[in-house]
Amino acid sequence: MNTATATVTRTPVTEAGLSNKLGLLFANLYVLGMCATIGGAYIFQFGLWEYPCPMCLLQRMFMLLSALGPALVVYRSRKGAVSSQDNASGWGWALVCALLGSTVSIAQVLMHIVPPDAGYAGALFGLHLYTWAAITFGAAVLAAGINLVLVHRSEPLDAGVASPALRRIGSFTLAVLVFFAVSNLVACFFLQGFHWQMSGDPTSYAFFSDLF
């Protein structure tokens, strides 16, 4: 007796649905949101001359590290279809880094929570920047968690290939992330100078202070 066998093959996705495009758009927004938060800190640093402490810089680094996960999703989307593994790995990385960053932010909040401690540096709407960082990390954890729960609906698949607009947005997003990563590295160097350890309460850029 002959047994008929059927071969099941997976055909590549040729057109992403609306939810897949929204998933890719959200990955872009996540990266840009993290960069915008660091941009707000830049206003205090370069506009108001308030120097970030080592814990502040560590929080910025965790924001950049968290943004790398969705940035990988964005990068893959510009080259072809994003696999479920890349999508889940990217958001998983974002979640872990956001959790680590939140511990630094919460630790700094607790350091200055007992009156009459006025807190470190200036405040925005009554909250210091490390408090805003804790809020940002909390929102990031929620966003990454939701994306992982809804991964079957939010994964980009080939949305980046199918939409020229999303490809352009992706290029812009990656360029912004590179700018903030490089500029933050340069700012850290000028703050610390050639010293092995940075001051816990910096009052100047050590690099220029040592020169002049």
Side-chain angles (χ1 to χ4, degrees):
M1 183 173 61
N2 295 330
T3 303
T5 59
T7 302
V8 179
T9 59
R10 297 187 62 183
T11 57
V13 180
T14 57
E15 183 178 357
L18 177 60
S19 63
N20 305 120
K21 294 178 181 178
L22 291 177
L24 179 56
L25 180 61
F26 192 79
N28 282 275
L29 292 176
Y30 185 99
V31 176
L32 293 175
M34 286 297 187
C35 292
T37 304
I38 299 174
Y42 278 4
I43 294 176
F44 279 78
Q45 180 177 351
F46 301 112
L48 303 178
W49 293 100
E50 294 188 357
Y51 302 96
C53 67
M55 292 189 74
C56 299
L57 294 176
L58 188 59
Q59 290 164 65
R60 293 185 191 180
M61 291 178 185
F62 275 119
M63 289 181 185
L64 291 170
L65 286 173
S66 182
L68 284 180
L72 170 66
V73 175
V74 174
Y75 176 78
R76 295 288 193 196
S77 72
R78 297 177 65 253
K79 301 298 181 179
V82 181
S83 68
S84 297
Q85 180 179 353
D86 284 338
N87 186 59
S89 297
W91 284 110
W93 175 267
L95 177 61
V96 171
C97 291
L99 284 171
L100 293 173
S102 67
T103 61
V104 181
S105 299
I106 293 172
Q108 192 169 11
V109 169
L110 294 177
M111 287 172 59
H112 300 286
I113 200 171
V114 178
D117 194 320
Y120 182 80
L124 177 66
F125 301 120
L127 299 177
H128 290 278
L129 295 187
Y130 44 82
T131 306
W132 283 112
I135 295 172
T136 300
F137 282 125
V141 169
L142 181 63
I146 291 175
N147 269 276
L148 288 173
V149 171
L150 302 178
V151 67
H152 61 291
R153 297 292 301 276
S154 63
E155 56 183 353
L157 299 179
D158 68 338
V161 178
S163 173
L166 284 174
R167 285 203 303 275
R168 289 192 294 269
I169 293 173
S171 299
F172 173 77
T173 297
L174 295 175
V176 170
L177 179 60
V178 170
F179 167 78
F180 277 97
V182 173
S183 61
N184 191 63
L185 179 63
V186 173
C188 288
F189 171 74
F190 284 132
L191 277 166
Q192 186 168 344
F194 295 101
H195 302 276
W196 286 107
Q197 185 173 358
M198 197 178 96
S199 170
D201 186 12
T203 57
S204 64
Y205 289 99
F207 177 82
F208 297 110
S209 298
D210 293 340
L211 288 179
F212 305 105

